[in-house]
Structure formats: structure tokens, C-alpha cells
Amino acid sequence: MNQESGKAPQLQTVVVKLGTSVLTGGTLALDRAHMVELVRQCAELNKQGHSVVMVSSGAIAAGREHLDYPALPNSMASKQLLAAVGQSQLIQVWESLFAIYGLKIGQMLLTRADLEDRERFLNARDTINALVGNGIIPIVNENDAVATSEIKVGDNDNLSALVGILCGADKLLLLTDQKGLFTADPRKDPNAELIKEVKTIDDTLRKIAGGSGTTLGTGGMATKLQAADIARRAGIEVIIAAGSAPNVVFDSLSDSPQGTRFLPCEEALENRKRWILAGPAASGDIMIDDGAVNAVVAKGSSLLAKGVVHVGGQFARGDVVRVTNRHGKLIARGIASYSSHDMARIVGKHSKDIIGILGYDYGNQVLHRDDMVVIQE
């Protein structure tokens, strides 16, 4: 690691996300020899004073291995069965491996429901920070044994970005079976080149990342790009790298990390906006005209009813909604000042007319700029 002469290294919090393909080495069983190598690197960072949080996939794979690969129907109940059996097995493996280096671990199982409610979000944040503050390595996973599609984050890439926001991470390391993000699929195109650094995530990059990875996990490169976009807006540097590469965890804190490095946005979001970005699933959509897009994106203005052209879905005042342009492209996320029923009645109207139409008002803005996160670059 790079250290200037006479200057103490800056201590950092690193979230390390391990995909199923990394933990199994592409096989059907956990690769404990490789897992202990990853633990060794995490332990070394811990020894230097850095904080490490691990987001670990692999519960279903561990359950399948422990039950000797049973023939089960391809159903949600089967996956939850395997997760229920496998999560305890997985955490036992991590516990035994970290114990080699004298480190304790603490298990945290989360669902989106734990992040949607502001109070539960803060409770989860306090728990993970208490673990880190006491030198305990948090091992985080989605609570697959009880989570349904309605309350699932869905993949551990995006979960790791949310965990990074919870613990105020400096870096998020997404370890996968690929060396990073390439200009094309390296499995199909021999001329594909590794993209070493990314400053802006745009539609071109999203197109490159399209498609899934292995069949062992639920997250491909597209979900990693989504996770990187969320994390970097919260001021977190993101690295996508190969989990099999030597010293990949240790090198994540160097000036030249392995893989693809996503630089954080220059102006990180404050805590409330981080929750808007990371926590609740959107309850509805607000389509706005071009003038409103310019006001929101370029000028940092609040959204007025006059700029709204369509309201979709059903949401209450205080729910999180998506803001799109006329073509359906996501522009922002924010907390609605009015319900969908009320907002539909004031679409395109001047702010001064709201009280006459509704008989009351909650202010001139349908989304206040302090309650809105702009997504478009």
C-alpha cells in the first residue's frame, strides 16, 4: 500500500461482497481453501486498523452441499429450505476461518423491509456500526429463508451497496468470477479490454454490462453496475475484480487496485438522501416535461406540479417515487409531498392553484429538492 513518508495511512471501512461463484470456485461446494485466503486478507486489513464488513452469498449452495445435493422442485419454498439449512452452515465456516486469526464475527440477515422504514434503517445502521466499532466482522446476507419477492433486495450486489451506505463505507469491493468490466464480453470477444477506471456510468456502459454471469448466483455484471451507481452517489469508491486474483482484497486499498475502479461522485449525498436512494422501493412514477427535467437536473430545483405530465401507480404522501422524463428514463427518486390521487388532480397546474383545487396544500412543491436524489448524470 502507498504511504507517504511520515504520514499515517488513512483508516478506511471496506465492504467486501463475495458472490457464490467466488465462494465455490465454480463448483457445487464451498471452496474452503480459497475462503481462508480471503479471510487472511481481511484479517490483515483489520490488523492495520481498517474496518471490514463482509456481504456473503452462498447460503443456498452451502445448504445444497450439506444435504448432499437433494433433488428438489424449482420453487421458492425449495430455495428457502436450502437457505435455512445453508445459512447456519455458511456462518459456521466463516466463524471457524476468522477464528484462525483471532477475530469474532456477527451475523446480520436483512431484507428490503429492514431498509424501507426509516427507523429500521437507522437501527440496522446502529447495529452494523456497533459491530465494527467493537472489532467484530459483520457477515451480512439477505434473509432468503423468509424473504418473498416483495421484500427482497434480490441480489447481494445491490445489498452490498446498501450495506456500504449503512456503515458509511469508503470502499465497496465486488468480487466476482470476472477480472472486472470489459469493453465487450471477454468470454466471446478476444479483443475485449479491461476498463480500468470509470468516472461516469452512462447508457453505453450499461449496455456493455448487460446480461448475466454464471448460473450459480443471481447477479451478473448489470447488477454490479447498478450497485456501483448507488454506492458512488453516496461517496463510496467501488471496485469490481476477480475474487480468485492474488491479494485482491488487500490491493483494494492501494493506489492501483485490481479490476475496474469506479470513482465516487464528487458531491456525496447527505444521510437522508442516502436513505431515499438506498432504502424504499418506489411506490409510483411521476413523468415530467423537458422544462422540469432541466430545472431538476441542471438547476437543482424542486419539482412543481406545473412540470408534471403524468402520475402512475398508487402512493401516499411521504412515499418514495420515481421521476422520469417523457421517454420513461429515470431522472430522480424522491419523497412525494402529495398522494397519487391528489397529484393527479394538480398535474400541470400552477402552484398558486393547488389550494383552490384540493382545498388545502402541503406546499408549492410536489417533490422538494431536499427530499429528492437526482439520478441522471
Side-chain angles (χ1 to χ4, degrees):
M1 273 192 270
N2 184 46
Q3 298 179 17
E4 295 181 21
S5 178
K7 186 177 180 180
Q10 180 182 358
L11 298 181
Q12 300 191 41
T13 298
V14 184
V15 175
V16 181
K17 184 268 174 179
L18 300 166
T20 301
S21 60
V22 173
L23 297 178
T24 62
T27 68
L28 295 178
L30 295 178
D31 184 353
R32 290 162 176 79
H34 185 54
M35 289 171 71
V36 75
E37 166 57 18
L38 294 170
V39 167
R40 179 192 68 79
Q41 296 177 55
C42 291
E44 180 60 31
L45 292 184
N46 182 272
K47 183 178 179 181
Q48 293 181 3
H50 302 290
S51 299
V52 178
V53 177
M54 186 177 287
V55 177
S56 174
S57 302
I60 291 176
R64 191 175 284 115
E65 176 188 354
H66 185 68
L67 296 177
D68 197 23
Y69 311 102
L72 297 171
N74 186 22
S75 65
M76 175 65 76
S78 295
K79 292 179 182 178
Q80 291 177 322
L81 178 156
L82 292 171
V85 172
Q87 186 60 42
S88 60
Q89 298 299 313
L90 179 65
I91 206 70
Q92 284 181 41
V93 173
W94 285 127
E95 185 175 42
S96 63
L97 297 182
F98 274 102
I100 295 172
Y101 297 93
L103 293 173
K104 305 292 185 183
I105 66 167
Q107 178 179 236
M108 286 188 68
L109 297 177
L110 299 173
T111 67
R112 180 168 286 283
D114 297 311
L115 304 172
E116 286 186 349
D117 180 81
R118 178 68 174 161
E119 184 175 358
R120 290 172 70 176
F121 177 91
L122 294 174
N123 287 339
R125 186 189 68 180
D126 291 345
T127 299
I128 199 168
N129 287 335
L131 290 168
V132 169
N134 285 277
I136 300 168
I137 308 292
I139 308 289
V140 186
N141 197 358
E142 181 138 35
N143 196 352
D144 291 317
V146 300
T148 60
S149 59
E150 290 79 15
I151 62 171
K152 283 177 69 67
V153 174
D155 64 86
N156 275 355
D157 292 319
N158 280 290
L159 178 63
S160 66
L162 307 186
V163 168
I165 291 174
L166 278 177
C167 67
D170 300 286
K171 281 188 170 63
L172 168 60
L173 180 57
L174 300 173
L175 296 183
T176 181
D177 55 1
Q178 297 293 317
K179 292 181 179 179
L181 182 63
F182 284 77
T183 54
D185 190 339
R187 296 165 296 186
K188 300 177 181 178
D189 187 347
N191 296 318
E193 297 181 1
L194 178 68
I195 302 171
K196 289 291 294 180
E197 187 172 278
V198 174
K199 296 180 179 179
T200 301
I201 296 177
D202 53 21
D203 290 340
T204 301
L205 210 61
R206 292 186 182 94
K207 185 176 181 181
I208 290 173
S212 59
T214 67
T215 57
L216 288 168
T218 56
M221 197 58 72
T223 64
K224 289 172 178 58
L225 204 62
Q226 291 171 4
D229 201 19
I230 292 172
R232 61 187 289 275
R233 291 180 188 280
I236 303 170
E237 181 180 308
V238 182
I239 299 166
I240 299 177
S244 59
N247 286 324
V248 64
V249 177
F250 193 76
D251 287 348
S252 68
L253 294 190
S254 73
D255 291 334
S256 300
Q258 302 179 48
T260 301
R261 180 185 196 179
F262 295 80
L263 299 181
C265 294
E266 291 184 4
E267 295 185 6
L269 302 172
E270 58 266 27
N271 285 334
R272 179 171 172 80
K273 289 193 175 184
R274 291 184 184 192
W275 173 73
I276 294 171
L277 179 67
S283 300
D285 296 288
I286 300 173
M287 183 181 292
I288 63 177
D289 62 26
D290 294 342
V293 170
N294 182 62
V296 168
V297 176
K299 300 178 181 179
S301 302
S302 298
L303 178 61
L304 305 179
K306 183 172 175 57
V308 178
V309 296
H310 178 73
V311 177
Q314 293 186 341
F315 52 87
R317 166 176 156 83
D319 284 351
V320 170
V321 295
R322 290 163 33 99
V323 180
T324 69
N325 63 13
R326 290 182 181 272
H327 305 290
K329 182 177 180 180
L330 182 64
I331 301 299
R333 283 168 59 93
I335 298 175
S337 299
Y338 292 86
S339 69
S340 53
H341 175 73
D342 286 347
M343 204 175 294
R345 296 174 62 193
I346 59 175
V347 163
K349 304 298 183 183
H350 285 280
S351 299
K352 62 183 177 60
D353 297 329
I354 292 177
I355 193 167
I357 296 170
L358 300 180
Y360 53 86
D361 70 46
Y362 295 116
N364 294 334
Q365 305 89 4
V366 294
L367 266 79
H368 195 279
R369 64 182 182 181
D370 292 342
D371 293 330
M372 184 164 46
V373 178
V374 175
I375 303 298
Q376 178 174 298
E377 295 284 356

